[in-house]
């Protein structure tokens, strides 16, 4: 496990549990603080710090749209500036892959429509300057 002691909010954390799912190269953790609040902690190598800072800024902008999402709380370097972290609020739920085949076609349609609405809001934001084409980023 990583040494999180340099992260601003660390002193209030009671439990840190690794999350082994997801597609990104980030290490992910479910964090519970001393008050029982839940958070999502994402970490990566510090070479990603500029990209992660921009991603965090975009999350702040997107959070203003009212979409139900993990809210950005903090972003910075830790582990003697070798690692970058992003701290987000926790959104409780179940993974769509575990859920989608258990509901009716009508409910699947409603979920897809809601996802499309959220994506439309996301795509209404201006991409950061010097952003390469999405297909290049996706295929990396």
């Amino acid at each position: 496990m990583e040494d999180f002691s340099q992260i601003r909010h660390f002193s209030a954390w009671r439990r840190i549990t690794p999350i082994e799912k997801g597609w990104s190269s980030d290490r992910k953790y479910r964090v519970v603080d001393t008050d029982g609040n839940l958070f999502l902690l994402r970490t990566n190598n510090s070479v990603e710090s500029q990209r992660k800072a921009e991603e965090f800024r975009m999350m702040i902008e997107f959070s203003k749209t009212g979409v139900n999402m993990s809210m950005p709380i903090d972003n910075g370097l830790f582990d003697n500036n070798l690692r970058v972290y992003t701290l987000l609020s926790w959104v409780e739920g179940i993974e769509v892959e575990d859920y989608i085949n258990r509901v009716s076609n009508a409910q699947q349609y409603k979920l897809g429509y809601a996802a499309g609405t959220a994506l439309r809001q996301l795509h209404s934001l201006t991409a950061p300057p010097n952003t390469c084409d999405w297909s290049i980023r996706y295929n990396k």
Side-chain angles (χ1 to χ4, degrees):
M1 176 114 39
E2 298 180 74
D3 177 11
F4 303 117
S5 61
Q6 295 175 347
I7 295 176
R8 270 186 287 268
H9 307 275
F10 176 74
S11 63
W13 295 351
R14 182 178 56 185
R15 187 173 46 244
I16 305 166
T17 308
I19 298 171
E20 301 297 331
K21 295 183 177 192
W23 290 56
S24 75
S25 62
D26 293 355
R27 291 182 187 162
K28 295 170 281 300
Y29 303 89
R30 183 177 186 258
V31 175
V32 181
D33 73 6
T34 53
D35 294 328
N37 298 308
L38 301 174
F39 302 92
L40 173 62
L41 175 66
R42 302 176 71 107
T43 69
N44 208 315
N45 295 322
S46 63
V47 296
E48 297 289 332
S49 63
Q50 193 168 22
R51 186 176 67 80
K52 291 296 183 179
E54 182 60 31
E55 185 178 280
F56 187 77
R57 188 190 70 71
M58 292 299 294
M59 288 183 77
I60 290 170
E61 290 303 310
F62 189 57
S63 70
K64 295 174 185 175
T65 67
V67 169
N68 184 23
M69 61 179 275
S70 293
M71 301 303 283
I73 296 170
D74 196 15
N75 171 261
L77 294 168
F78 74 107
D79 195 15
N80 298 313
N81 295 333
L82 297 174
R83 306 280 298 159
V84 61
Y85 72 92
T86 302
L87 185 64
L88 308 163
S89 66
W90 183 267
V91 174
E92 196 62 53
I94 59 174
E95 291 191 44
V96 71
E97 292 121 355
D98 298 335
Y99 180 74
I100 199 74
N101 290 322
R102 297 186 299 182
V103 298
S104 69
N105 286 345
Q107 184 62 25
Q108 289 178 22
Y109 179 85
K110 286 180 185 178
L111 291 170
Y113 189 87
T117 300
L119 282 173
R120 184 176 341 121
Q121 288 176 299
L122 174 64
H123 289 282
S124 71
L125 299 176
T126 303
N130 302 323
T131 301
C132 66
D133 186 76
W134 75 267
S135 61
I136 295 169
R137 288 193 322 273
Y138 178 80
N139 289 317
K140 278 185 179 180

